[in-house]
Amino acid sequence: MSNWETIIGLEIHAQLNTDSKIFCGCATRFGDEPNANTCPVCLGLPGALPVLNRRAIELGARAALSLGLHINPTSIFARKNYFYPDLPKGYQISQYDQPFSANGELEIMTAERDEAGHPLEWRPKKIRITRLHLEEDAGKNVHEGLPNVDRYSYIDLNRAGVPLAEIVTEPDFRSSWEAYDYVNHVRRSLQWVGASEADMEKGNLRCEANVSVRRVGDEKLGTKVELKNLNSVRFMQRAIEFEVARHIKTLESGGTLRQETRLWDDKATETRVMRSKEEAHDYRYFPEPDLAPLVVSDEFIQNVQSEMPELPEARRKRFMDQFALSFADASQLVSDRTLADYYESAAESSGNPRGAANWIRSEVLRELELRSVSADQSPVTASELASLIRLIDEGKISGKQAKDVLVEMFKSGKTAQAIVEEQGLVQLSDSGEIDALIDEVIAANPDQVANYRSGKEALIGFFVGQVIKASKGKANPKVVNERLRVKLLA
Ligand SMILES: [Zn+2]
């Protein structure tokens, strides 16, 4: 397989997070009664005129800026003509030769994965983004869950006219994992700046992959296949892997590939043909006569920029500089914006950024995952976590006690201080009491004492563990360590 090179380009459709549609005032709410959110404009009735939603432009600009794209001062809406039952006008309003935004270069972090799916080495990779353009979504044909679906198809136009940003890349990906890491990067960026919910399960982020292979050293691109119906990032990655293997197998056995659109079937874990290129559309684009050219001023872009939060990559770098975090730690903490805010607040109010990172990455994330909530919905706020960290740092409770206290904080919603007082938790730091425990441990383990005294210093860990166990987890490990070294050599 190493004689072959994989070439992938991606198209993402992201629903912009507006309350109303792009060319009319109808709501964009998900899950409403079919056709409840429609009007003459999005039903495509004759004579109805589109009016551009300013908020869609602002969010489109946020999306473009978050991906490092250049916004064109003038862009043109165009009609993309085709017939389909969920498209009552007979055309979709999109953009064609003068898109909203173009010519971007995005740096992502990517890694190949081992058999178990664990990342190998993370490395930066530049992806060229050809364009980001604005368009309206089509409606939806419904073939399930309604009366007589064996005889009828139903049309729901609630989604018709919902604003989308279509983001198209150059064929710059060389593996399915690069594509996977890119889509996750884009999803996070769009969520981070509030441009889109970017939730693939709700269908407000959809992606398509163009996949081909060629022999290493060949200039010419191989026959490409378009993959659709990729309902999660993981499905997309699997579908690409399947296609690459299929292409190579076909070509190595002397077969030929057809240019076609294929769908991923996750149950069967394979792709199957949806349509061949012979049925491809000619969309006969022309400028939309009912909309003026979209002119975007520098001032508008500066305003959008000034309202945007610090972007994830910048924040990761700042966390590494300001809080001395590793790349891996900082990357995890900026994996979503609410988590990054939570961390920063806990780091500052505890005065222990390293400790805050450790607690969040292990205990707090586990508790949040158990409850399926994000950091901003955490029952334990960042400042309450910071209070807990201070109790440890001041030597009032041990790290082991703190783990139990945190679990209790999540369960009961009480503060760390209240739980510590209620349960009478105190860390044992009194050297007299610790000495008494050490004496017991020394008396009970004469062989290990002899070994330690003859030079096996690594045994100190064993003794610390025994003393802490004897104290039922209350003994201050620092004091135990100091006193043990004195008493073992006495
Ligand atoms: Zn409408």
Side-chain angles (χ1 to χ4, degrees), residues 6 11 23 36 54 59 79 81 93 130 138 146 148 197 214 286 295 313 319 322 333 336 358 375 402 408 415 460 464:
T6 302
E11 281 173 31
F23 299 122
R54 186 185 169 91
L59 295 180
R79 290 189 182 179
N81 298 283
I93 304 180
T130 319
L146 288 164
N148 303 315
E197 284 182 47
R214 66 180 172 196
F286 63 85
V295 177
E313 292 68 38
F319 280 1
Q322 189 177 339
L333 292 167
D336 94 65
N358 291 339
E408 189 56 31
T415 65
I460 192 76
V464 172

Side-chain angles (χ1 to χ4, degrees), residues 7-8 34 54 123 137 154 241 258 290 295 327 340 346 361 382-383 435 442 447 456 474 485:
I7 313 280
I8 306 160
R54 186 185 169 91
R123 61 193 162 81
D137 206 348
Y154 294 80
E241 281 296 308
R258 286 192 312 164
D290 293 335
V295 177
F327 178 82
R361 293 187 67 220
S383 79
D435 279 359
I442 286 179
D447 293 349
K456 285 203 174 168
K474 287 185 180 178
R485 285 177 197 277

Side-chain angles (χ1 to χ4, degrees), residues 124-156:
K125 161 132 189 164
K126 289 205 163 90
I127 302 298
R128 289 169 298 156
I129 300 184
T130 319
R131 56 194 276 144
L132 178 154
H133 69 248
L134 304 174
E135 62 184 25
E136 60 177 343
D137 206 348
K140 198 165 71 176
N141 294 331
V142 184
H143 307 288
E144 285 172 339
L146 288 164
N148 303 315
V149 282
D150 53 334
R151 284 187 290 139
Y152 300 117
S153 286
Y154 294 80
I155 312 288
D156 178 3

Side-chain angles (χ1 to χ4, degrees), residues 21 24-26 37-43 160:
K21 296 185 180 180
C24 63
C26 295
N37 305 325
T38 54
C39 74
V41 173
C42 56
L43 289 173

Side-chain angles (χ1 to χ4, degrees), residues 284-295:
R284 297 176 296 114
Y285 283 95
F286 63 85
E288 166 60 60
D290 293 335
L291 288 167
L294 172 58
V295 177

